[in-house]
Amino acid sequence: MARILFGIIAVVASLMLAESLTCNSCSVGLLGYCLNSASVNCTNSTDVCFTGAATFPSISSFNGFNSQGCRETSGCNATAASTLLGIAYSTQIDCCSTDGCNPVTLSGAPTTKLSLTAAVGAAVLASVWGTMMY
């Protein structure tokens, strides 16, 4: 009896996994680059993959913030305008419904972090050496 129950659970679980949508996920994106990309399986059968971008028209050189992942279909493929502290911005949400259809732009964040760490480390070392010389 336990084998039959285990078999039924395995079949149901495999069907649930087979029907789930896999999307690229990025909870923090800046200037069009993702700072922490991952892949995520959508949990609801009505979910779609999305890419959302917030841009500031008054700051033309700033590409804004973006995020990606799974969401319900409401509000998809729409643009909304709003203000934040008196600054106008627009949010655009684009959706798609196939696996991995929202590509992630990867950033050079690890290299940037290493360069910043090296610069801060060199500055601290120079400061310590400077105080030891006097």
Side-chain angles (χ1 to χ4, degrees):
M1 181 68 178
R3 289 184 183 179
I4 293 172
L5 184 61
F6 179 72
I8 292 171
I9 291 172
V11 169
V12 170
S14 67
L15 288 175
M16 288 175 60
L17 288 175
E19 292 185 22
S20 67
L21 181 65
T22 302
C23 299
N24 295 311
S25 174
C26 177
S27 59
V28 179
L30 181 63
L31 303 174
Y33 294 102
C34 181
L35 301 178
N36 63 339
S37 65
S39 182
V40 64
N41 288 325
C42 300
T43 56
N44 297 328
S45 61
T46 59
D47 283 352
V48 292
C49 300
F50 84 95
T51 299
T55 57
F56 298 87
S58 61
I59 309 172
S60 60
S61 61
F62 181 63
N63 290 338
F65 304 98
N66 60 330
S67 64
Q68 294 175 302
C70 297
R71 70 172 290 142
E72 291 194 17
T73 57
S74 62
C76 283
N77 303 321
T79 302
S82 189
T83 60
L84 176 68
L85 299 173
I87 300 173
Y89 71 95
S90 67
T91 304
Q92 181 175 352
I93 298 175
D94 297 319
C95 299
C96 54
S97 58
T98 58
D99 285 340
C101 60
N102 58 342
V104 173
T105 303
L106 297 176
S107 74
T111 305
T112 305
K113 289 178 186 174
L114 181 60
S115 299
L116 179 63
T117 304
V120 170
V124 169
L125 187 60
S127 176
V128 168
W129 280 351
T131 58
M132 290 174 53
M133 294 293 189
Y134 289 111

